[in-house]
Amino acid sequence: MKYSNKNEAYIIIDSVPGDKSISHRAFMLSAIAEGSTYISGISICRDCLSTINCLQSMGIKIDIDISKKTAVVHGKGLYGLSKPENVLDCQNSATTMRLLSGILIAMPFDSVLSGDSSLKKRPMKRIIEPLKLMNGGIYSLNHDYAPLYIKGGKLNGIKYFSNISSAQVKSAILFAGLYAGNTTTVLEPELSRNHSELMLKDFGAGISTDYFKDTSYNFHISTTISNTDKLYSHDIHIPGDISSAAYFMAAALIIPDMHVLIRNVGINPTRTGIIKVFKQMGAYVNIYPAENSGSEPYADIEIKSSQLHGIVIEGSIIPTLIDELPVICAVSCFAQGTTIIKDAAELKVKESDRIAVMCSELSKLGADITETCDGMIINGKKTLRPSKINSYYDHRIAMTFAVLNAAIGGGINIKGSECADISYPGFYNELKKVCQKSY
């Protein structure tokens, strides 16, 4: 559908799926709050359904209206979860496994969390270590990988320095901190996604974030949570997922004469690294923030075809765009000059080794790309050609190559393309409609 404003024609994207990260947290915290929580804008992707199914297996009633993208979660309080009869199947969702571990470790029962073959390759030592330091009974049944056996019990607060900026690690510790006998503090090198902190505060938890200076005078982020007696239900609106919007932003930049307006996209500052990077590359991007959007801000994003140039992407911006780096890498193939991505070793332990996969599969298309120990080097403006590529069943990889397929006029065959449903059901139909191309 076209929209005209000041003689400019836009392709309107009225909505992308609700933010996946916020949806997970909304369901979990609503389940352990007092009373019923109404949630609008929920994501119904496979990952979030994993969280919903796990909570329902522990006695939480959740009423979902898929057509309206709403849910009502009937919370049972901090200790209201019931012992599951079977293993909790997190499927492909590391967020489900890691964050639920922080809650289950305080419950008066034992539980086991497992998942699919991909999830069983994701590192879990990063949450096992701090939760054990809190006196938590958490054990890997597979050499620091899933399945995880959790023996619930009484917890102690800790002060924990995480050497990676990971919202999942931080959130698992903070969720456990709700139940600890004293305060719990998480220190991280850079501020990772802060959806948990914002939502915990909205539910009534005592939580604060500050800066911490170590003995070498290096600054870190410090987040502290206090033991909590109750969480209180309240209405939650979930904005559109910027990670999902990223594919349409990328398509608009690299497909000639495209001009899109994506509505109601979350612009939490810990997630907007992709906007900053695209602007640094010379992209035409405008942000129109909504008024009174609450603790999770959102906006309409306007973006159109642009002449791009290479840049260096490194340091503190990396945690704010970690999931968007594959599509940024693809866009860099169309930029003039060289783009260098550094400090992104975390990409190696996602659903696939995204550094290795992007380098190997883009090379099949004729891209000039070199893998490094913590990123990649892309020399742009090379002619890309159709080829058969392997997504390795990583949804971010599959959707990235779908954008490239649209950009070069088709011919890219994506093995495992169905994995896009993990985060964005219906993505391919929406991309086809927006790009007005057939493939």
Side-chain angles (χ1 to χ4, degrees):
M1 185 172 85
K2 298 282 187 177
Y3 171 75
S4 292
N5 181 31
K6 296 181 180 178
N7 298 318
E8 290 280 358
Y10 304 86
I11 298 171
I12 295 291
I13 302 172
D14 283 319
S15 65
V16 293
D19 190 286
K20 186 161 71 85
S21 295
I22 301 174
S23 294
H24 281 296
R25 290 156 172 80
F27 284 117
M28 291 184 196
L29 293 181
S30 297
I32 59 173
E34 302 285 338
S36 298
T37 296
Y38 175 81
I39 311 171
S40 59
I42 60 173
S43 171
I44 310 292
C45 67
R46 276 165 47 192
D47 271 7
C48 289
L49 288 176
S50 297
T51 288
I52 292 168
N53 291 335
C54 287
L55 293 172
Q56 290 175 328
S57 297
M58 292 184 284
I60 300 300
K61 182 182 178 184
I62 303 175
D63 301 318
I64 299 176
D65 188 327
I66 294 177
S67 63
K68 295 181 179 178
K69 300 180 182 178
T70 62
V72 178
V73 181
H74 303 279
K76 288 190 170 184
L78 285 171
Y79 293 93
L81 300 181
S82 302
K83 179 179 174 63
E85 294 182 0
N86 301 302
V87 171
L88 294 169
D89 186 1
C90 302
Q91 298 185 37
N92 190 253
S93 178
T95 304
T96 303
M97 179 170 285
R98 290 173 177 150
L99 271 61
L100 269 185
S101 294
I103 295 172
L104 291 173
I105 204 162
M107 293 298 110
F109 55 76
D110 298 353
S111 55
V112 176
L113 293 159
S114 192
D116 64 14
S117 59
S118 173
L119 184 54
K120 289 177 181 176
K121 297 175 183 176
R122 305 285 296 275
M124 293 298 154
K125 184 178 180 180
R126 54 183 54 186
I127 64 162
I128 293 172
E129 181 180 75
L131 293 179
K132 278 189 172 180
L133 290 174
M134 298 179 77
N135 196 41
I138 179 169
Y139 311 93
S140 166
L141 302 179
N142 182 28
H143 307 291
D144 293 331
Y145 297 90
L148 300 180
Y149 170 69
I150 298 178
K151 185 175 181 62
K154 187 175 180 180
L155 303 177
N156 300 320
I158 58 170
K159 188 173 185 178
Y160 184 77
F161 180 80
S162 175
N163 59 6
I164 56 171
S165 294
S166 166
Q168 292 181 7
V169 172
K170 176 175 62 176
S171 298
I173 300 169
L174 293 177
F175 284 8
L178 289 167
Y179 301 89
N182 49 330
T183 59
T184 296
T185 299
V186 183
L187 308 170
E188 54 184 347
E190 307 288 349
L191 180 61
S192 61
R193 297 179 183 184
N194 67 348
H195 302 304
S196 291
E197 297 95 300
L198 295 174
M199 193 171 293
L200 282 163
K201 186 174 182 180
D202 287 344
F203 273 93
I207 188 165
S208 61
T209 299
D210 207 342
Y211 289 95
F212 165 78
K213 186 166 65 175
D214 65 18
T215 54
S216 300
Y217 297 95
N218 296 313
F219 282 92
H220 306 290
I221 305 298
S222 169
T223 305
T224 299
I225 191 166
S226 304
N227 172 274
T228 301
D229 293 327
K230 288 183 179 181
L231 296 179
Y232 298 93
S233 60
H234 68 104
D235 291 352
I236 299 173
H237 173 69
I238 299 173
D241 195 330
I242 194 168
S243 296
S244 296
Y247 303 102
F248 300 107
M249 295 167 64
L253 285 177
I254 63 178
I255 296 176
D257 303 318
M258 273 199 72
H259 191 176
V260 303
L261 185 73
I262 313 170
R263 289 189 161 157
N264 302 315
V265 179
I267 53 166
N268 181 305
T270 64
R271 298 286 298 281
T272 53
I274 187 169
I275 295 173
K276 295 175 183 176
V277 161
F278 282 163
K279 284 186 174 181
Q280 288 170 14
M281 295 178 78
Y284 178 97
V285 184
N286 285 322
I287 307 298
Y288 305 104
E291 295 182 4
N292 304 317
S293 56
S295 57
E296 290 287 357
Y298 58 94
D300 293 347
I301 299 176
E302 178 194 9
I303 189 163
K304 65 180 179 179
S305 306
S306 304
Q307 295 294 320
L308 304 175
H309 56 81
I311 61 170
V312 177
I313 306 168
E314 62 182 338
S316 61
I317 200 170
I318 294 295
T320 71
L321 46 64
I322 194 70
D323 282 339
E324 292 75 64
L325 280 173
V327 80
I328 290 172
C329 177
V331 167
S332 299
C333 293
F334 294 79
Q336 188 70 46
T338 301
T339 296
I340 301 173
I341 298 172
K342 299 179 179 180
D343 304 321
E346 187 68 9
L347 285 178
K348 292 177 176 288
V349 292
K350 292 291 188 177
E351 285 85 338
S352 67
D353 179 341
R354 289 177 177 166
I355 293 176
V357 170
M358 287 304 299
C359 290
S360 67
E361 303 312 295
L362 274 174
S363 294
K364 293 177 183 178
L365 305 186
D368 184 349
I369 183 168
T370 303
E371 180 178 352
T372 65
C373 63
D374 63 350
M376 55 202 92
I377 301 169
I378 307 112
N379 294 308
K381 286 296 183 182
K382 306 296 180 183
T383 300
L384 301 186
R385 59 179 179 265
S387 182
K388 182 176 182 178
I389 71 99
N390 191 343
S391 73
Y392 293 87
Y393 298 95
D394 184 329
H395 56 127
R396 304 286 178 204
I397 302 295
M399 290 188 285
T400 292
F401 279 92
V403 170
L404 286 173
N405 187 52
I408 68 171
I412 299 177
N413 185 294
I414 305 169
K415 181 181 178 181
S417 61
E418 66 276 10
C419 66
D421 284 351
I422 288 170
S423 62
Y424 197 153
F427 168 73
Y428 299 109
N429 287 336
E430 187 67 19
L431 182 65
K432 181 178 179 180
K433 181 174 66 176
V434 169
C435 295
Q436 297 177 339
K437 293 182 180 290
S438 61
Y439 52 94

